[in-house]
Structures are given as structure tokens and as C-alpha cells.
Amino acid sequence: MTKGNDSLDSLFNPRSVAIAGASPGKPGQLFLDSLLASGYKGQIYAINSKGESISGLKAYRSLGEVPGHVDYVVCCIPAPAVPQLIRECAAKGTKAVSVFTAGFSESGTEEGRRLEDEVSRAARETGVRVVGPNCLGVYSPRVGFTYTSDFPMESGDVAFICQSGGNSVYTTRAATYRGIRFSKVVSYGNACDVGESDLLEYLAGDAETRTVAIYIEGVRDGQRFFQVLTELACRKPVVVLKGGHTGAGAKAAASHTGSLAGSDQVWDRLLQQAGAIRVYSLEELVDVLVTLSLLPVPQGRRVGIFGGGGGATVLGTDDWSRHGFVLPPLPEAIGEEIRRSVPTEAGLILNNPLDLSSFAYSDRFYELIRRLLIYEGFVDLSVIHIGFGQAAWFSTSVFDAEINSFKDAVTRIRSEAGKPLALVMQYLITGWDWQKSIEDLQQGCAAAGIPVYYSMTSAARAIDHVIRYHERRRARGFD
Amino acid sequence: MGSLDPIFYPTSIAIAGASPGKSGQWFLDSIRTSGFKGPIYAINSKGGEVSGLLAYTNVKDIPGPVDYTICCIPAPHVPQLVRDCAAKGVKTISIYTSGFSETGTQEGRDLEREIVRIAQASRIRIVGPNCLGVYSPKVGLSFASDFSRRVGKVALIGQSGGNTSYLIRAASQRGVRFSKAVSYGNACDINESHLLEYLAHDPETEIVAAYIEGIKDGERFHRVLSRLSAVKPVLVLKGGYTRAGGEIAASHTGSLAGSAEVWDSLIQQSGAISVGNLEEMVDLLVTFALLPLPRGRKVGVFGGGGGASVLATDELTMAGFTLPRLPPELIKELMELFGNTAGMIFKNPIDLSMVGYSQSFYDVVKRLLSYSSGDSFDLGLIHAGFGQAAWFSSSAFEIEINQFRDFVTRIHRETDKPLALVLQFLITNWDWQKALDLQRGCSEAGMPVFHSMASAAKAIDRFLRYHEARQRAGKTG
């Protein structure tokens, strides 16, 4: 049987899907309902041993009974029955199976390991590709294929392969909310057949993918992984979060996905040599994806900071300085003009950072930021900083309108000036009514393609990552 | 110098520059909604009415005594107001007005020197200028109307009004209450050292937090900070830590920031706790104010999905905690209760994602916390990750989350083990409101709540290290 990675196409473009173990109130039904709700265009079949209809679908007792062709099976049946299902898939002509069922090598038991060996043997012998076990499987928005109904059906150019199901859900949601769209996401669990290296090799050649994110707990074949990762990283930016990088975390990873984690120093060297960007938390992963996807690459480290109150500005300056950015003074002419036009108010800083708390979010705000943004030779990157919870007084009645005009100003600036521009929204999660307005602001900006961050530290860190990435590439002669 | 009591416990207040639609009116309205019991007077050179109060044209025209004045009039008129206040017998004037030394102009510096001279000649004390002044919930004095009216044990001094407001709000929301807070701006008269000295003897204050951009007298500050740190934990966030930040601090509050190295060694020598940013300050306040001191570093993590548990283990390990394995008989007990489902780990972290927020959750966590042996936990962390689950029913979630809050607060009430909630949630349109409700319920029950495993681990580690260092130095408590 050939096992070229062309066969991975079947993971991402199934024309018909069957859910094995689609019983009421069980994960099988949840998979089924997610698929029904997501607008998947292909055929959907339910299979359960009792043949009882589910979610308005007739259920078949076995895969063999399904009348039409089945491209892809989502497996939710008990572990001992899984190897047999793989062979039935082969008989049916099914090309790919993702196995949600747990109780394999991650259990640490002899029985679990034996079962997993059987599954991979069945896959090897039949050519059926198996994702998992112990995973959520595939999200491929282009064909409306998903494991959770709230992922968007709009495609993007970021691919994410993730060894943990929960982390794949969290990251996909968090990134989606910030304006990122995915080409494909795979939660691949124990990786008994389709492994991280297969997926990365496939993504290197995938025309729909421009950026790759990885959450990985352990690798099966270190040498191959290094080779594949290096080749991929030459062509596309790759961001890697290693779960289980401490000794104790590695043990947790072993019982989570049966992974051998390897030492942290080895990983650090490997990722660096391969040219990947290493991050340490899911939040940082999302921040870097936001940067890679939405921010034009700054050509230097000169940053202009507009907005924020006095104290927030002092701390913001510290944050950007710590990450190697410099804040050039405002162009003299513009600085003079601003100082003339602003009435004195407590703690106002009228340079760079430019404290715009007295400007409200009027047309003047828009005009000024726009001028500064396109001012030749001033900065390489502009950051608009809006802090909530800092003002002693505010009027709820005007707040909504102000936030709206602020959103309009920022999105207008973004659409008119092609310069690198980011928004930092630093906010308290409070019970105040105006939370809704803040949310609208964030959504409006993300939808307009503006990178939005939640703190100056996280923005500076993520943008620094990306600038260093390009510096390294230039040094290697790639760019 | 005399006690600073008058700045925190005024019995009558006047607002100078109380014009409709201006900052003066906002100060006035904030105090009136904060429960201040004494008389409140408005002063406006043009007379008239503001927020239903008749304004006096001069502080001296006010019939009764005035203890405390908030100044919102333009900078050039401030010296005369200080003189008038001194003549009236006002004890404290807190000056919101800016345009003093922070402008970097000769004129601004001269004005500031002048008001200091007047204050020194009379016995009036100045807070500011260029500041928001005092929050003292005990007497209902506040510069923002939304600050809590409940009194707590944390004192905060902040050189920036915005950062002070942010810290009060963020910490209040997580269950921290304040004895007093001061936004003290340019510190032309009352400065950080006076305030810290006062707080060392303040029986209402057990924990001190400071946001400082620059100090007036380094030697004195060092002495005062050391003395205060000997009796109470002091958390210090330095704004303008980097050189560029220091330059900005100069134009913010006229501060000379000093070098990072000097600052680091000063904080370290004095026994204070250095804090990196506002979020970390809030985490530390939550920890110091709400978490009983763990006896050691053995932590039990309850909840969280598989991948979240792997990352949580990394975070806790990096911060120096250990996650002891559960004893076999306990694992057996748990296995019998729950069986096995995808990704569950009957180790530590104990992945309870498939148990949901049911009675079983309560039973398991109670069992684990009360388990006593050489390897029992010193600290329990309940890990609730929203946004991780592939499937949920929002209607069921609504009920479940309330149940969960009840179970968590019940466990917290019933255990004497240090216990915190790590509530990791996505800020999305459907998540935050429920997460917030949960947080509020737990915070109100006095439970420490953190927003990520990393921040919890870091803050609790600092807490332990603070007490370890004190033990080594032979100080108890």
C-alpha cells in the first residue's frame, strides 16, 4: 500500500462522512450535531449498533450497511472495537478515519498499547489513514468539515496542528475572535498513524496554507521531524508551542497523549536550528499568529505610541523598550501643533508616546493619527493604545458613541494607510454595561484586519518575535 | 511632621473649581455618591450652581469649617487658593491641576516651588499637584464613583492617577478591599516616603502596594521602605524602569527615575517585593490578601482538560512547585467513581473535564484535599478552562456554571487548605459574562481567583519566597 502524503488530501476534503458510535447523548451525537450545524455539504451518515435513528438521521448498524460511498469515518466506538472498524473502512473504500476514542497508549496500560499497535498495523496494511486515537480530528472550513459547530466556515491561510483537542479548540476560537481564519486544523492525539511529520510535510506543499502553528507534546521520529520542520520553516513561518517542556509536564503529556517529550534543551536547539518561532503559552501563540497574519512586517524598530493615559504610557514605554523597540520624538512641526491645541490637563504627555486622552475620539484624532502614520521617516510601526479602567470619570451615555467613532477612525486609518498599525486594548473584564461596546470595538477592528492585542507587553513580545524571525531569515539569505 | 490622618479622614470637603461639566463637578459627584457623611461645599469663582449645590465664590466665604479641599482651578491661581485655604484652617489640599514641574518649564517649576513655600509657612499639607488624590472608603472619600465602599486591609499609593484607578478597580473586582489609596502625582509636599512611613503605623493597613515613577530622597526612601517592609509586605511597581520609560516619567510626574540597577538593589535590600506590571500587581494583591500561606510547594490541580493540564504542569514546575502523584488506593477510588473517557488523567493534574461541574466534582476535590499522608497537598488549584470544550449546550452551561460556583465556594469554605481558582477564559461574546459571574461569586466568597495558571504560579511562588526569605532572616509572619 502506498502511504504518500497525497493520501492526506482525503483528511481535508471528504465528500461523505460517517460517525461510528453516534448514540444519543454521547460524543458521537455531538460530532454529528456539530457537522449538521456547520453547513457541511457532503453526505452525513450515522452508525450505531442498535440502529436507532439519531438527530433526525436514520442510523445504520455498521459501516458496511451504509448505502453510499463513505470517504471519512469519525470513530467514537469503544477502544477494543476500533481495530476491526479500520478494516471495515478498508473494505468500504473509506480513506480516512479520525479516532476520538481514548484508552490506548496514553492510558499507560499494556492493553492500551497493544490496541494502539493493532490500529496502526491495520492502517499500515490497508492504507486507511488514521488520525488519533484520542483526538478530535479535522476542521477544514473550505468543505465545512468540523468537530465543533462554532468554528467559522470562512477559510483562511493559517494551518494548526495540535496534539491536544482542548488546546486546538481554545486556540482556534481565540484566534478566530482576533480575526484569523484557518485553512485547516488537526487535533491529532496519539499520532499512531498520521504523525506530526506527515502533517507538516503535507502543509509545506499546501497551497492554501501560508502560516503554520504547532502545539506538540512529543515526537515519534526526532530526525524526520527535524528535517520536515526545517524544510517547512524555509518556506513558511512556523510557530511552535511545546507542551510538557518541563520534566513534570512531560510526564503529564505521556499520560495525555502517550508522548515521549524529550528534554527542553534539545527542543530549544532543534526549534532554533529549524528556524521555527518558539512560544510558551497559548496566548502567546495566538498573539504571534495575529502578528504574522495581520501586521505588515515593520521595516525597523521605531514605534509610535498613540493614546493611553499618563501612567499607562510610562509602563507602555517600559514594555516596548524591554523588547528592543525605540520611540523617536514626534516630528517637531506636528508636536508644536498638538501642544498649541490641547488644554492643560493632569499628566498629559505630548510627545511619543502621545497621550490622547483629552482628544476623545473625534475627527481630530483620526486626522492626527493618520498624519503621523504616513509621516515619512518617523516610525516603522504605529500602536494605538486604548486603556479601559484607567479613567476616574466617564459618562456611560457618551461612551458608546465615543467608542463607535473611535472604531470608525481606527478602521478608516487602517484602510487608508498601508503602514503597520496595531491596536492595544487593555481592559478590565467588568460587569459594566459598556462591555458590549468594547467587544464591538474589538470585533470591528479584527474584522477590518487590524491586529488587536490585550496588553502592551504581549503586543511588544509578539511583534518582536516576528521582527526577529525576519532578521534571522535575512541573515540566512532567505528573504 | 504631623500625622497624615487628616488627609485620610476629613470631616468636611470643599471642591475648588466646581464648574458644571468640568473635572471639579466630577470630583464633587464622586464624593457625593461614595457615602461621605460630612458637609461638601462647591467653590466656583463665578458662583452659580453645580450638581444642585450653590457654589461659594471663595473658600473663605464658606460658613462652616473646611478640612480638606480638592483643587481643580488653573495652575496660576493655585498659590492664592493655597493661601486662602491656609487662612481658612484647611488641613489638606489635594491638587488635581497640572502644569507644574511635570511640564519641564521654568514657569511650572516656579509655581510648584511657590505652593510648597506657602504650605511650609502655614501648616497645610499638599497632595499632588497633578493627581487624583485620596480614596478612603472608611469616610466615603473617593475620586471615582464606582470604587467599593467596603473597607479592606490593603493600602495603595500611586504616582499615576490612571494606574491607581486601574489597580483599585482590577483588584476590587477580584475581592481585594482597600484601607486607603492615594494618587499623589508630583509629590511636591507629601511624597512616597511620608506615605510609607505613615502606613507602617496604620493599624488599618496590613499590606502595602506602591506604583512609583521617581523618588524625592533616595536615602530616606530606602530607610522608610526597609522599616515598613520589616512589618508589612510591600509590593512595588516601578514605572519608568527602562531609560526610555524614565524619560516619559519625567514628563508625566516630573520624576527623576534613576537607573534600573540602583532601583533593583534598593528594593532587594529593603525587603520589599518588586513587581513587573499592573497585572502582576493585582495577582500579588489577590494572593497576599486572600490566600492562606501554603506550608510547602506540593500542589494539587483539579480540573482542566488534557492539553491544559500539560501546560499547567509546565507553568507550575517552572515556578518551583511539585505535583505529587496520587497514592494508588486513591486512584483506584477515583477510577471506580468515573471510569475512563478521552484524555482523562487520573494523576495530578486531575483532569475532571468529563465529570463536568456536578456533585462528583465536589466529592472528588473534597476527598483529595482532605487526603492526609506525607504527600498530601499544601495547596489546591481548581482549574476551570472555558473555551476548551468542543461541545457544550449554552442552556446547560448556564445552570452548570452556577452549580460549579456553589461547589467551589462550598469547598473553599469547608477546607482549611489554601485553595484558589484558576479561571482561564476566552474573551468572546459568549464566554466572558458567565466567567465573570463565576469570578464574582468566588471573589465575593473571599477566594483568590487568577486568570491563568502562569500568573497564579508566579504570584503564589512570590508569596512563598517572601515568607521563606523572612524565615531565613529570622522574622516570623
Side-chain angles (χ1 to χ4, degrees):
Chain A
M1 280 285 155
T2 58
K3 288 229 112 173
N5 281 322
D6 291 351
S7 60
L8 291 189
D9 271 338
S10 59
L11 293 184
F12 302 111
N13 306 302
R15 280 160 303 164
S16 49
V17 177
I19 317 288
S23 308
K26 294 289 169 60
Q29 184 176 29
L30 299 169
F31 271 107
L32 180 63
D33 290 349
S34 300
L35 208 49
L36 288 169
S38 73
Y40 174 66
K41 293 283 191 303
Q43 279 296 324
I44 304 172
Y45 302 104
I47 303 171
N48 62 50
S49 53
K50 296 195 188 113
E52 52 187 339
S53 67
I54 181 163
S55 298
L57 281 189
K58 169 185 165 57
Y60 300 91
R61 273 176 221 284
S62 72
L63 181 61
E65 279 183 23
V66 174
H69 180 76
V70 176
D71 260 358
Y72 191 110
V73 168
V74 177
C75 163
C76 304
I77 63 174
V82 175
Q84 179 53 32
L85 178 67
I86 307 297
R87 294 187 189 276
E88 286 171 27
C89 286
K92 181 79 183 166
T94 299
K95 299 190 200 79
V97 183
S98 63
V99 181
F100 171 70
T101 315
F104 293 89
S105 65
E106 86 286 355
S107 65
T109 63
E110 196 46 55
E111 170 67 5
R113 274 191 293 273
R114 190 187 58 76
L115 274 173
E116 190 164 311
D117 284 346
E118 268 187 55
V119 172
S120 39
R121 192 164 54 244
R124 215 168 37 242
E125 287 170 7
T126 61
V128 172
R129 300 304 314 246
V130 176
V131 181
N134 186 23
C135 75
L136 288 171
V138 173
Y139 161 52
S140 181
R142 199 167 62 82
V143 297
F145 186 45
T146 186
Y147 48 85
T148 176
S149 57
D150 64 310
F151 288 175
M153 281 309 116
E154 206 183 317
S155 292
D157 57 18
V158 177
F160 181 34
I161 70 161
C162 185
Q163 204 162 1
S164 150
N167 286 345
S168 80
V169 174
Y170 181 92
T171 308
T172 306
R173 283 195 186 126
T176 297
Y177 198 67
R178 306 258 296 270
I180 291 171
R181 293 295 177 270
F182 292 86
S183 56
K184 39 209 51 142
V185 174
V186 191
S187 149
Y188 68 92
N190 295 7
C192 87
D193 176 42
V194 174
E196 59 287 343
S197 298
D198 301 316
L199 291 165
L200 297 181
E201 203 165 78
Y202 177 82
L203 292 173
D206 180 27
E208 290 169 3
T209 296
R210 285 181 52 200
T211 303
V212 178
I214 305 175
Y215 169 82
I216 193 163
E217 294 184 354
V219 288
R220 293 279 157 154
D221 176 348
Q223 223 164 341
R224 177 162 175 233
F225 177 71
F226 177 66
Q227 201 177 20
V228 170
L229 184 67
T230 307
E231 272 159 37
L232 173 62
C234 280
R235 301 161 71 168
K236 300 171 184 184
V238 185
V239 194
V240 182
L241 172 58
K242 169 71 175 72
H245 69 94
T246 63
K251 282 182 197 152
S255 52
H256 178 221
T257 52
S259 293
L260 288 171
S263 89
D264 194 48
Q265 294 90 313
V266 170
W267 270 94
D268 213 43
R269 235 186 356 258
L270 184 151
L271 293 177
Q272 204 178 7
Q273 280 177 18
I277 300 171
R278 184 174 189 183
V279 294
Y280 285 89
S281 68
L282 296 175
E283 291 71 25
E284 193 183 357
L285 176 61
V286 174
D287 288 332
V288 172
L289 289 180
V290 164
T291 310
L292 286 167
S293 293
L294 303 177
L295 190 76
V297 183
Q299 295 308 304
R301 288 180 171 271
R302 292 171 306 175
V303 59
I305 299 174
F306 314 126
T313 289
V314 171
L315 292 175
T317 306
D318 282 339
D319 286 330
W320 287 93
S321 298
R322 280 194 183 107
H323 286 94
F325 290 86
V326 292
L327 289 86
L330 278 191
E332 198 44 51
I334 298 185
E336 253 319 298
E337 211 176 296
I338 295 168
R339 277 184 284 274
R340 272 202 308 274
S341 69
V342 170
T344 310
E345 204 177 297
L348 219 53
I349 296 162
L350 300 173
N351 203 317
N352 180 17
L354 178 60
D355 181 348
L356 293 169
S357 39
S358 74
F359 268 52
Y361 301 119
S362 54
D363 285 346
R364 270 172 67 216
F365 171 86
Y366 157 79
E367 281 302 337
L368 179 63
I369 302 289
R370 197 174 158 278
R371 272 174 68 197
L372 287 168
L373 205 69
I374 58 176
Y375 196 94
E376 207 52 54
F378 174 40
V379 289
D380 305 302
L381 164 69
S382 299
V383 178
I384 296 178
H385 184 196
I386 180 163
F388 299 109
Q390 290 259 350
W393 316 292
F394 54 85
S395 141
T396 359
S397 56
V398 301
F399 185 81
D400 286 359
E402 274 197 1
I403 286 297
N404 258 331
S405 67
F406 177 69
K407 180 177 70 189
D408 293 345
V410 175
T411 50
R412 229 167 101 199
I413 294 163
R414 167 69 175 79
S415 68
E416 290 169 9
K419 296 281 180 95
L421 170 70
L423 174 67
V424 173
M425 299 183 48
Q426 207 150 8
Y427 63 78
L428 280 173
I429 307 287
T430 68
W432 297 336
D433 309 339
W434 45 266
Q435 188 84 34
K436 180 79 182 71
S437 307
I438 298 179
E439 230 169 67
D440 290 347
L441 169 62
Q442 130 106 54
Q443 287 290 275
C445 288
I450 298 168
V452 178
Y453 306 88
Y454 297 134
S455 73
M456 291 295 245
T457 318
S458 58
R461 188 177 55 194
I463 296 171
D464 175 43
H465 263 309
V466 171
I467 291 178
R468 277 191 287 132
Y469 166 78
H470 286 286
E471 284 165 357
R472 282 195 307 271
R473 286 183 67 82
R474 266 198 298 279
R476 288 180 176 197
F478 283 147
D479 281 354
Chain B
M1 74 172 231
S3 162
L4 294 185
D5 275 345
I7 83 166
F8 297 110
Y9 309 112
T11 52
S12 50
I13 299 177
I15 288 110
S19 312
K22 297 284 174 64
S23 49
Q25 184 179 29
W26 301 331
F27 271 110
L28 179 63
D29 292 348
S30 299
I31 293 169
R32 292 178 90 192
T33 52
S34 298
F36 184 72
K37 296 277 191 306
I40 304 168
Y41 304 103
I43 307 169
N44 183 339
S45 57
K46 297 192 190 97
E49 197 177 293
V50 57
S51 296
L53 281 187
L54 217 54
Y56 296 90
T57 49
N58 190 297
V59 66
K60 291 191 286 191
D61 298 341
I62 294 171
V66 176
D67 240 11
Y68 189 103
T69 298
I70 295 168
C71 163
C72 305
I73 62 173
H77 303 300
V78 174
Q80 186 54 44
L81 176 68
V82 179
R83 269 185 221 109
D84 291 346
C85 283
K88 174 75 184 168
V90 172
K91 299 191 193 82
T92 311
I93 178 163
S94 136
I95 303 177
Y96 171 70
T97 313
S98 63
F100 294 88
S101 65
E102 85 284 357
T103 57
T105 62
Q106 190 55 44
E107 195 194 341
R109 275 193 295 270
D110 287 346
L111 265 178
E112 193 165 305
R113 263 199 293 272
E114 195 183 344
I115 58 173
V116 173
R117 254 198 318 274
I118 301 165
Q120 279 164 354
S122 53
R123 289 181 53 207
I124 197 165
R125 299 304 308 258
I126 298 174
V127 181
N130 186 24
C131 75
L132 288 172
V134 174
Y135 164 51
S136 178
K138 194 178 176 186
V139 300
L141 170 59
S142 178
F143 50 84
S145 56
D146 61 307
F147 290 174
S148 172
R149 288 167 69 164
R150 277 160 58 194
V151 178
K153 57 187 178 184
V154 174
L156 166 66
I157 70 165
Q159 204 161 1
S160 146
N163 285 344
T164 305
S165 303
Y166 181 91
L167 283 172
I168 293 169
R169 288 196 179 110
S172 296
Q173 201 174 187
R174 307 250 300 267
V176 174
R177 295 289 176 270
F178 292 86
S179 59
K180 47 204 46 128
V182 196
S183 146
Y184 67 92
N186 294 9
C188 79
D189 175 32
I190 293 174
N191 63 34
E192 60 289 342
S193 295
H194 302 128
L195 292 165
L196 296 179
E197 201 160 40
Y198 173 83
L199 292 173
H201 304 292
D202 179 25
E204 289 170 2
T205 296
E206 290 172 32
I207 298 158
V208 178
Y211 169 80
I212 295 177
E213 295 187 352
I215 47 183
K216 294 282 165 173
D217 175 348
E219 231 169 304
R220 169 141 191 234
F221 178 72
H222 187 181
R223 209 168 51 233
V224 169
L225 187 64
S226 304
R227 254 188 254 137
L228 174 60
S229 298
V231 293
K232 296 171 187 182
V234 189
L235 306 159
V236 186
L237 169 57
K238 174 71 167 66
Y241 182 86
T242 63
R243 234 185 70 190
E247 280 164 22
I248 297 306
S251 57
H252 179 220
T253 51
S255 295
L256 288 171
S259 83
E261 296 76 30
V262 171
W263 183 262
D264 283 343
S265 74
L266 186 156
I267 295 295
Q268 210 196 347
Q269 281 174 23
S270 61
I273 300 152
S274 164
V275 182
N277 57 45
L278 293 174
E279 291 71 29
E280 194 189 351
M281 177 67 98
V282 176
D283 290 329
L284 285 167
L285 287 177
V286 166
T287 308
F288 276 82
L290 303 177
L291 190 74
L293 180 64
R295 286 171 317 169
R297 290 176 171 271
K298 285 181 303 216
V299 56
V301 180
F302 316 121
S309 292
V310 171
L311 292 175
T313 306
D314 283 338
E315 301 290 3
L316 287 163
T317 307
M318 281 196 295
F321 292 91
T322 58
L323 290 87
R325 285 294 160 103
L326 304 187
E329 66 270 19
L330 208 52
I331 295 182
K332 201 162 156 261
E333 206 181 305
L334 296 176
M335 288 289 260
E336 277 161 15
L337 268 168
F338 303 114
N340 196 5
T341 359
M344 268 180 92
I345 312 168
F346 286 117
K347 284 168 185 152
N348 180 16
I350 299 103
D351 181 352
L352 295 165
S353 47
M354 289 299 173
V355 177
Y357 302 130
S358 57
Q359 175 74 36
S360 313
F361 175 86
Y362 171 83
D363 293 340
V364 175
V365 176
K366 275 282 280 191
R367 177 80 194 87
L368 289 166
L369 279 175
S370 61
Y371 183 80
S372 59
S373 79
D375 245 1
S376 65
F377 303 128
D378 302 312
L379 164 71
L381 296 175
I382 294 177
H383 190 191
F386 296 153
Q388 289 260 348
W391 315 293
F392 56 86
S393 127
S394 13
S395 55
F397 187 71
E398 201 84 55
I399 300 162
E400 275 193 2
I401 197 88
N402 289 336
Q403 263 176 23
F404 182 61
R405 182 196 56 215
D406 294 344
F407 285 132
V408 169
T409 49
R410 216 169 110 201
I411 296 167
H412 179 249
R413 200 168 50 240
E414 291 168 0
T415 186
D416 49 8
K417 286 261 169 90
L419 181 68
L421 173 68
V422 176
L423 179 57
Q424 207 151 8
F425 60 93
L426 281 174
I427 304 168
T428 67
N429 27 16
W430 49 267
D431 242 2
W432 67 264
Q433 186 62 59
K434 284 163 201 127
L436 180 72
D437 289 345
L438 173 60
Q439 166 175 303
R440 192 182 292 129
C442 292
S443 294
E444 272 168 14
M447 190 172 181
V449 179
F450 300 93
H451 291 161
S452 74
M453 201 46 92
S455 60
K458 217 167 130 189
I460 300 171
D461 170 47
R462 299 296 300 277
F463 186 40
L464 283 164
R465 277 196 281 141
Y466 168 77
H467 284 284
E468 284 156 7
R470 288 179 69 80
Q471 254 154 28
R472 274 198 306 278
K475 292 167 190 147
T476 50

